[in-house]
Amino acid sequence: VQLQASGGGLVQAGGSLRLSCAASGRTISNNAMAWFRQAPGKEREFVAAISWNGDSTDYADSLKGRFTISRDNAKNTVYLQMNSLKPEDTAVYNCAADRNQVITGRYYYWGQGTQVTVSS
């Protein structure tokens, strides 16, 4: 499966962006999915995850309340709605497919990232 993240860009602090992760090659409807991010000079950081049917989600504690993960299995796409963005949210955002339907943290497919830059 190929995963392609999109929707990044330059936004002012306090603004919003919605990222998309589109899958091709096969369906991801049987995979939990996740978003990660990596800022320059920092390690990759978990952002959010969602189970195969959307019934279960998980977020990094620091991002709860501002970010929302969702999915549309009919479109083979996962989304990340980011609100009240801060300069420290600046990073390359990437999506990944879990090996299982439920969130296990065992990711075996990674997509191409999309750059998010938040100006102060």
Side-chain angles (χ1 to χ4, degrees):
V1 63
Q2 289 80 45
L3 303 175
Q4 180 65 57
S6 62
L10 175 63
V11 62
Q12 289 188 332
S16 298
L17 282 174
R18 188 177 82 153
L19 306 184
S20 299
C21 172
S24 61
R26 72 162 180 81
T27 180
I28 55 169
S29 61
N30 292 317
N31 297 87
M33 297 291 294
W35 285 96
F36 289 80
R37 68 184 184 183
Q38 187 166 19
K42 296 187 177 181
E43 294 186 353
R44 185 170 61 201
E45 174 187 21
F46 169 78
V47 173
I50 187 168
S51 62
W52 70 283
N53 60 0
D55 282 357
S56 178
T57 57
D58 188 24
Y59 295 91
D61 288 341
S62 62
L63 301 177
K64 288 180 181 178
R66 293 196 299 123
F67 288 16
T68 303
I69 189 171
S70 62
R71 66 189 300 158
D72 185 340
N73 286 339
K75 295 183 178 180
N76 224 23
T77 301
V78 179
Y79 304 98
L80 183 69
Q81 177 67 43
M82 305 186 296
N83 298 328
S84 302
L85 284 163
K86 305 175 181 180
E88 51 264 42
D89 294 320
T90 294
V92 174
Y93 286 71
N94 207 349
C95 54
D98 199 301
R99 292 179 180 270
N100 297 280
Q101 292 183 331
V102 298
I103 301 168
T104 66
R106 299 172 62 200
Y107 302 104
Y108 67 148
Y109 287 118
W110 294 84
Q112 297 294 319
T114 185
Q115 175 71 46
V116 171
T117 303
V118 184
S119 62
S120 57

